[in-house]
Amino acid sequence: LKLGGGAIRVLVEGQYRARVLSCQLDGCFMATVSGCEQTIDRDEVAEAHMRALVEKYEEYGTSSGKVSPETVLALSDMASPEKLVDTVAMNLLKKTEDKQEILETVDVIERYQKVLRLTTQEIQISEIEREIAAQTKLQIDKLQKEHYLREQLRAIQNSLGDGEAEAEEIGAFKTAIDAMPVPEATQKKLLKEV
């Protein structure tokens, strides 16, 4: 993918986990690797980790609104413990360091524990983001309401003839500002505020 500034991003899909035994550069990178993928049986321990991860990921989806129910259902149907944890990690994690940490973790159960921990962190972040958004919305709503009420008050005052009194008051302020012994720039700012 070509990005701005002449940068290029290459998407690569790995077939399996491997350790690099040697690496050389002959026009392109070439490496000799040794597979290190661990597989585990779907026993009670694996099943418990799988259920915990799907439930935690579903909680993240509910909290953030970033995961569809269909995705959670598809994850629930996965038979391979390794594929499940890697799929959740790929879709959940945002930081390259976190992705690299999971990629380097060969032990499947340890990988589950790390992804569960990171999922919990993402849930907490998502909840904080929701609180911030709610507070911001309340502040904006309050400011809009105050502005609307001020405009209504101004319209009522104008219809009652109070607008003339306000104009006289503004005129008095302008006269007082003109008479002040301050620099011209300060006078302009003060007049702008009136």
Side-chain angles (χ1 to χ4, degrees), residues 173-186:
F173 278 125
K174 286 182 178 180
T175 304
I177 290 170
D178 286 337
M180 292 177 132
V182 293
E184 188 177 332
T186 305

Side-chain angles (χ1 to χ4, degrees), residues 18 25 38 42 56 65 80 88 90 115 127 153 161 166 180:
L25 177 61
Q38 180 192 35
R42 190 168 174 169
K56 197 55 90 171
S80 165
V88 169
M90 177 185 69
V115 173
E127 289 171 355
L153 182 61
E166 186 178 326
M180 292 177 132

Side-chain angles (χ1 to χ4, degrees), residues 37-40 80-87 108 111-112:
E37 188 70 56
Q38 180 192 35
T39 58
I40 60 171
S80 165
E82 303 85 11
K83 187 168 175 87
L84 174 64
V85 71
D86 290 338
T87 302
V108 178
R111 218 179 309 160
Y112 267 94

Side-chain angles (χ1 to χ4, degrees), residues 15-21 32-38 106:
Q15 300 297 311
Y16 54 88
R17 275 183 174 70
R19 294 200 194 303
V20 176
L21 301 175
T32 304
V33 298
S34 171
C36 63
E37 188 70 56
Q38 180 192 35
V106 176

Side-chain angles (χ1 to χ4, degrees), residues 45 80 82 100 115 119 122 124 127 150 155 159 174 192:
V45 174
S80 165
E82 303 85 11
Q100 186 64 36
V115 173
T119 306
E122 286 296 327
Q124 292 169 344
E127 289 171 355
R150 262 192 247 104
S159 68
K174 286 182 178 180
K192 201 181 242 187

